[in-house]
Amino acid sequence: YPTMKLTTMQDIGGLRAILGNVKDVYKLTKDYQNNRRLLHELVDQKDYIQDPRSEDGYRGIHLIYRYKNKNVPDYNGLRLELQIRTKLQHKWATAVESMGTFLGQALKSRQGDQEWIDFFAITASAFAHREQRNPVPRFDHLNFDQTCTAVAEHERQLGALDRMSGLSIAANAISTPKGQARYYHLIVLHALEKQVEIISYDRESFEEATNDYGRYEARAAKGEKIEPVLVSAGPLKQLRQAYPNFFLDIRDFTKVVRDLIRKSNSNTKRNENR
C-alpha cells in the first residue's frame, strides 16, 4: 500500500510472553502494571484467564498500551498489545491458528465451522481445569471428568485428531547470512502448499528485511495465499518455539488432547466396573 503510513495505523506492534504456569503469568502482569519506568500508557487490560471467552474458550491476559516516546513522537498514540499466556494456553491458541490456516477458516476470530469452534472451546475448558482456573462459561456446569468426556465426544464426532495428524510441516531456511548472527526472520507461510519459507537477516539489515516484508505483503494483498510476518526471535530453534502456528505445528496440543481422552476412557471403564 504505497500511500499508507505507519503513523496512520491503529496498532504499531504486538508482543507475547509465554510462561510456565498461571502464577507466573499474574506475577509478570503485576510487574507491568506497577512499572512506573515504562513510558507507554496502559489504556486497557483484559483477563481472559479469570473470564475465558465463552464463544471459543480463548484464555490469556492482554495489556493494551498507548505508545508514548518523546524520542519518536510520530508514533505517539498508536497501540501496543502485550499478550501473556501459559505454555498450555499457548498450545491451545497455536492449534486454533494452525487449524484455521489448514481449513481456510478464521477460527481465531470465531468464524468458521461451528463444530471446530465447539471442539476448541470444550478443550479450552478442560485445559482451564488442568490449571485449576475458571472453566469456559458455557461449560461451567461440567466438572473435570465430565469435561474430559465431552472432549472425547467432540473429538470422536469431528475426527479431529485424525485430521490434525501429520499437519506439522518442515521449515526450509532458503536464505541465511553466513558468518553472522541471525536476528530478524521473515516467515512466509504458503498456505496452499503447506510450506514455510524463512529468510533470516542480521541485526544491521532491518531495512532490507522490512523492504522484503513489504513485497510479500503486496503479494498477499493481491490475493496470493501467503501469510508473511517479520519477527525478531534469535536462532531458528527459538523461532519455531515462539511462532509454532507459522509452522503448522500442533503436536504438543494433540498430546494433551490424547491425555484428556485417555482420562475419559479410564473414567468410563471405572464406572462400568462398579
Side-chain angles (χ1 to χ4, degrees):
Y1 302 99
T3 61
M4 179 180 287
K5 295 182 179 179
L6 186 61
T7 53
T8 64
M9 297 176 64
Q10 183 180 15
D11 296 339
I12 191 174
L15 305 92
R16 180 178 296 147
I18 304 167
L19 297 103
N21 54 63
V22 175
K23 181 180 178 181
D24 287 344
V25 164
Y26 279 108
K27 182 178 184 301
L28 182 62
T29 300
K30 187 176 181 180
D31 288 344
Y32 270 96
Q33 291 168 331
N34 297 334
N35 190 341
R36 297 183 178 180
R37 294 178 299 172
L38 192 65
L39 298 177
H40 309 306
E41 178 188 0
L42 181 62
V43 294
D44 196 8
Q45 47 193 313
K46 299 176 181 178
D47 187 344
Y48 292 115
I49 298 177
Q50 178 67 25
D51 298 302
R53 277 204 307 241
S54 187
E55 307 97 313
D56 64 346
Y58 177 83
R59 298 188 308 126
I61 290 180
H62 291 199
L63 301 179
I64 297 94
Y65 292 87
R66 184 173 289 117
Y67 187 87
K68 186 177 181 181
N69 186 343
K70 64 180 181 180
N71 295 321
V72 194
D74 288 348
Y75 302 141
N76 285 350
L78 300 184
R79 293 198 319 172
L80 293 166
E81 181 169 313
L82 170 61
Q83 299 176 353
I84 309 177
R85 302 171 175 168
T86 65
K87 290 181 179 179
L88 190 59
Q89 292 159 11
H90 189 55
K91 291 174 184 178
W92 180 91
T94 294
V96 172
E97 290 194 42
S98 297
M99 283 307 298
T101 297
F102 182 73
L103 297 169
Q105 302 174 16
L107 294 180
K108 75 171 186 176
S109 299
R110 302 174 295 287
Q111 299 176 18
D113 293 340
Q114 188 62 43
E115 58 263 38
W116 277 105
I117 295 173
D118 292 342
F119 167 72
F120 282 116
I122 189 63
T123 304
S125 200
F127 283 20
H129 278 290
R130 285 190 56 162
E131 293 184 321
Q132 298 182 327
R133 296 289 162 168
N134 292 341
V136 175
R138 60 180 167 127
F139 302 116
D140 61 6
H141 60 288
L142 304 176
N143 62 30
F144 183 38
D145 287 346
Q146 293 169 332
T147 303
C148 289
T149 298
V151 169
E153 290 174 351
H154 278 77
E155 191 284 324
R156 184 168 53 251
Q157 293 172 4
L158 192 57
L161 291 178
D162 285 341
R163 297 172 72 175
M164 289 178 174
S165 63
L167 181 57
S168 298
I169 59 179
N172 298 310
I174 65 170
S175 176
T176 56
K178 296 182 179 179
Q180 297 174 313
R182 294 169 292 189
Y183 190 78
Y184 301 108
H185 302 280
L186 174 57
I187 314 172
V188 185
L189 172 60
H190 297 263
L192 296 180
E193 295 85 358
K194 305 297 184 295
Q195 293 180 349
V196 173
E197 177 182 353
I198 303 173
I199 307 173
S200 298
Y201 308 83
D202 61 77
R203 187 186 289 266
E204 306 303 319
S205 300
F206 180 67
E207 184 174 355
E208 178 186 357
T210 54
N211 287 337
D212 289 346
Y213 171 67
R215 284 191 286 271
Y216 277 99
E217 278 284 10
R219 288 166 56 181
K222 292 179 180 178
E224 191 171 341
K225 297 298 182 181
I226 59 175
E227 296 183 38
V229 62
L230 180 62
V231 301
S232 58
L236 287 176
K237 182 178 180 181
Q238 293 181 12
L239 179 69
R240 186 159 190 149
Q241 291 175 341
Y243 299 92
N245 54 298
F246 271 85
F247 297 87
L248 302 184
D249 191 349
I250 57 176
R251 290 170 294 184
D252 289 342
F253 172 81
T254 57
K255 288 179 183 177
V256 180
V257 173
R258 292 184 193 279
D259 286 342
L260 296 173
I261 293 174
R262 278 194 290 268
K263 179 173 178 56
S264 171
N265 293 338
S266 177
N267 291 338
T268 300
K269 291 181 179 178
R270 185 166 57 250
N271 292 332
E272 290 175 348
N273 292 331
R274 286 178 178 175

